[in-house]
Structure formats: C-alpha cells, structure tokens
Amino acid sequence: MFSWYHQSALTIVHLADVSSLSAGALSSSVWFQRGWTLQELLAPCTVLFYTQDWSLYMNCTAPNHKEDAIIVKELAQATGISSDNLTNFHASMDDARSKLQWAASRHTTRPEDNAYSLFGIFNLHLPVLYGEGKEKSLGRLLQEILSQSRNISILHWVGEQSSSHSCFPANISSYQPLPCVQPYLTNVAIQRSMSRLQRLVSIDDAQNMYGNFINLPGARFANRTLTLPCIIHHVQAVKLRQTHRSKHTYEVQAAGLRPVQIISQEELEETTELTEFPYVLIRPWDRKLIDYSEKDRVMAGYKALMQLEQPFMALMLLRLPEGEYKRICASHFIVARTDNPASVVNSEVVTVDIV
C-alpha cells in the first residue's frame, strides 16, 4: 500500500471533521490519530487537503500542499515529524526509533495494524497474520528491524513489557519522546573536552580503548534471543527509596557509574549479604560512537572517550541461572553517567544474550 501511495500522481485527503479554513485547524482532525494515515501522509509526493465542505484547506491553491511552508509547518507541529521527512520521505530502516515514535499515539481498529501499517514505512515485506495479536505483530516488526539494521535505538522504551521478549514493549505507545540526554557541544566545548581528556588519559589507554570497540559486531536477533554487544556495569547496591501505587523507586549503584534512580513495578533484591548481585546496567553498543573516518587511532580513541563520558540511556538486566539475561522493565527511561574518564577507559565490553 505504501508503494501505491508513493506512485500516485495526487493524493486527496478529505478531513471530514475540519470545518475551519483558518491556519491551525489541521491538527484537530482525527485523521492524525489513525495508524494507517501515517503512510498516507508520508508516502505521496503530492497531497491536497480538503475540509468538511470540500474546500481547499486555508484556500491554498498551490498544486501541492507539501510545498506550502505554512501547511508543512502545521503538519510538523501536529505530527512531530520534521518538515524534511514530510516533504521528502524515503522508506527505509534509517532513524527507526523516530518512526516508531511517530506512530506511538496513533490507533487502529485491528490491534495488529499498529505494526502492519508501518511495514511499508520501513520498506519491509512481512506476512500479515490477523489474529496473532498486537504483541506478536509488533514483536515481528521489531525483530526484523534489529535483524536487518542492527539499530539498537528501538530498545529504548518505557511501559508494559511484551510476553514474547523482555526487550520489546507490549504496545507501540511505549515509544514516547526520549529525554534530552547528551548536551549540545560547541566546537569550543569539544576542543576543551579533548584537551582535558588528553591530560587525564594516556595515549596508550586511548588506543587500547579504541581497539576494544572498533571491531565490535552489531546487535542481532535469532531464535528468540537478542545477542547484544554492550558495556556492562555490575550492580553493587540496590536501595528502595519509596513505593507509590505499586511502583518502586530504587537507588542503584553500579561499578563505574554515578548512582542511578530506577522506577519499576518489579521488586528488586536488596539483600546486602549477597556476594554478587544478579543485576547489571548496560550501555548497548552503538557504532555511531566511533568515528570510523578518523585515520589517527589515538585521536579516534579520544573522540570515542569524549562521547562515552556523556550521559546515556541504560538498560537494567537480571542474570538468569542459565547465564542468559532478562530485561528489568522500568517505568521511566534510565539515564546513567560514568564516574570519570578512568571508568570509561576500563570499561568491560561483553556480548550478552537476552531473552
């Protein structure tokens, strides 16, 4: 269906619940809350919006409303989609999490359609199996995204956990906007940070750290198991701070990290007599953290170090008796930060199997 819209000469959108021709009325339409209309918005090159009485929206007589700056700005505000994606969208795996976020507040009559309506947007060709349920349909979509793109950004969600895999959400609505984790660094700030790191970290340490990361493989999903390269931080202490409406707030201390607050409906083990906690905090490995175009391995190491000491989105895992891991479901995004550059240099890089 995506291809059908993309190849159309003109797509006409009749907004039966919009009677006003004034700017700002567009976002009130239920059309922006439906799952299938996302591809109707993105796929066509040429779109005209009509109001309830079949008048052109805003009396805009442009041959393509995607070329009208005022309408495009209003569409961006209504959908959270950038103007560039609205006017020049290409179906692909790129920026996968953003696409899931665009669909998070949309609804479909059939529960499986929340996932099926995105197949074309990701340029995927998967079977449509009505009756499998929303969790399985969403799980199949996420598995395919991971298998083909190895894009770990789709692991960052909050809400109910899927019964099919602990790293997948039960609902697409779990893909809420991410918190602003990494600050914007100006060129001056980058130069200062690099100078500071070069004073604190030796050339050998920077090179060795870079060597640990350069050949790390991407994530892969097979046989219901997510194999995930990551930086692992072993949990050393868990303290319950409060419980409110079945949600527990914990302060978690992990090796190499500043204390982290975690809110979860799951009850975590607090016993201090344990020689080793069964929990870890991990930073899923993202190849974007390495500048592969940098020929100087020393400079590449310092650049990676600068990236790795910034705050990041962490996952908390429970180690199972068989040696595999299960994700602890959190009610909010877990934002972690390293103690100091030395803790980054001494990072433990592993590959974990999550079920």
Side-chain angles (χ1 to χ4, degrees):
M1 187 179 289
F2 183 93
S3 297
W4 189 80
Y5 280 110
H6 184 64
Q7 295 170 11
S8 67
L10 170 66
T11 295
I12 294 175
V13 178
H14 179 228
L15 304 175
D17 56 349
V18 175
S19 56
S20 173
L21 298 179
S22 303
L26 205 62
S27 60
S28 64
S29 176
V30 71
W31 192 80
F32 293 98
Q33 301 170 17
R34 293 172 178 160
W36 284 105
T37 57
L38 180 58
Q39 65 176 351
E40 294 173 15
L41 173 66
L42 294 173
C45 297
T46 305
V47 177
L48 292 177
F49 291 95
Y50 286 82
T51 60
Q52 189 178 66
D53 64 356
W54 286 98
S55 299
L56 283 166
Y57 181 62
M58 289 177 53
N59 286 321
C60 178
T61 58
N64 182 7
H65 283 175
K66 281 192 173 186
E67 295 177 350
D68 183 272
I70 296 176
I71 292 181
V72 170
K73 181 179 180 179
E74 190 173 342
L75 288 172
Q77 292 172 341
T79 61
I81 303 172
S82 70
S83 57
D84 184 57
N85 276 309
L86 287 169
T87 57
N88 192 32
F89 182 80
H90 298 283
S92 71
M93 299 283 185
D94 295 342
D95 204 8
R97 197 197 180 281
S98 291
K99 293 170 182 173
L100 294 167
Q101 185 177 313
W102 298 342
S105 60
R106 292 173 177 261
H107 307 281
T108 57
T109 302
R110 290 183 170 183
E112 297 92 346
D113 280 342
N114 271 328
Y116 298 164
S117 62
L118 298 177
F119 286 0
I121 288 173
F122 285 104
N123 195 25
L124 289 174
H125 302 280
L126 298 173
V128 173
L129 307 172
Y130 285 113
E132 67 175 331
K134 63 179 180 181
E135 285 191 24
K136 287 186 177 180
S137 61
L138 178 58
R140 285 199 296 122
L141 171 63
L142 298 177
Q143 287 177 38
E144 198 66 23
I145 293 172
L146 273 173
S147 297
Q148 291 196 26
S149 72
R150 301 187 175 187
N151 189 325
I152 57 93
S153 68
I154 67 172
L155 301 178
H156 298 309
W157 52 268
V158 292
E160 184 182 353
Q161 202 168 46
S162 172
S163 59
S164 64
H165 196 279
S166 67
C167 273
F168 295 156
N171 303 289
I172 200 165
S173 58
S174 292
Y175 286 102
Q176 298 301 312
L178 292 169
C180 183
V181 174
Q182 294 198 358
Y184 172 75
L185 297 177
T186 64
N187 289 334
V188 173
I190 290 174
Q191 291 174 0
R192 289 176 178 172
S193 182
M194 291 289 286
S195 297
R196 174 179 58 84
L197 292 173
Q198 287 169 343
R199 291 195 304 270
L200 296 174
V201 178
S202 71
I203 291 176
D204 287 343
D205 283 343
Q207 279 186 309
N208 291 336
M209 185 201 69
Y210 179 77
N212 290 335
F213 296 134
I214 186 65
N215 293 318
L216 276 178
R220 57 187 175 87
F221 194 99
N223 301 320
R224 298 174 60 85
T225 300
L226 172 62
T227 301
L228 184 65
C230 62
I231 298 173
I232 193 168
H233 301 272
H234 297 276
V235 171
Q236 300 170 328
V238 178
K239 294 182 180 179
L240 178 65
R241 291 306 186 189
Q242 69 173 16
T243 298
H244 181 66
R245 295 182 178 178
S246 76
K247 290 185 179 181
H248 313 290
T249 302
Y250 297 95
E251 182 179 276
V252 175
Q253 180 65 61
L257 297 179
R258 300 177 187 181
V260 175
Q261 184 184 81
I262 293 176
I263 302 174
S264 176
Q265 290 186 322
E266 299 187 37
E267 294 186 9
L268 305 183
E269 177 63 64
E270 291 184 89
T271 306
T272 56
E273 296 176 359
L274 291 176
T275 56
E276 185 179 3
F277 274 94
Y279 308 115
V280 295
L281 286 171
I282 66 167
R283 178 177 194 154
W285 179 247
D286 187 347
R287 291 177 63 84
K288 294 178 181 178
L289 293 169
I290 292 287
D291 183 359
Y292 290 91
S293 65
E294 178 60 68
K295 303 301 181 183
D296 186 334
R297 288 176 64 91
V298 175
M299 186 57 64
Y302 283 117
K303 285 182 177 180
L305 181 57
M306 182 179 64
Q307 292 290 331
L308 289 167
E309 71 170 355
Q310 300 300 319
F312 65 93
M313 306 289 292
L315 306 181
M316 189 172 190
L317 307 180
L318 167 67
R319 186 173 59 254
L320 302 176
E322 298 81 7
E324 298 171 320
Y325 288 85
K326 173 184 176 294
R327 180 173 175 173
I328 298 292
C329 188
S331 302
H332 77 319
F333 293 109
I334 302 174
V335 179
R337 186 165 188 172
T338 56
D339 266 338
N340 50 57
S343 64
V344 178
V345 170
N346 298 319
S347 294
E348 183 180 353
V349 182
V350 301
T351 298
V352 296
D353 289 330
I354 309 175
V355 296

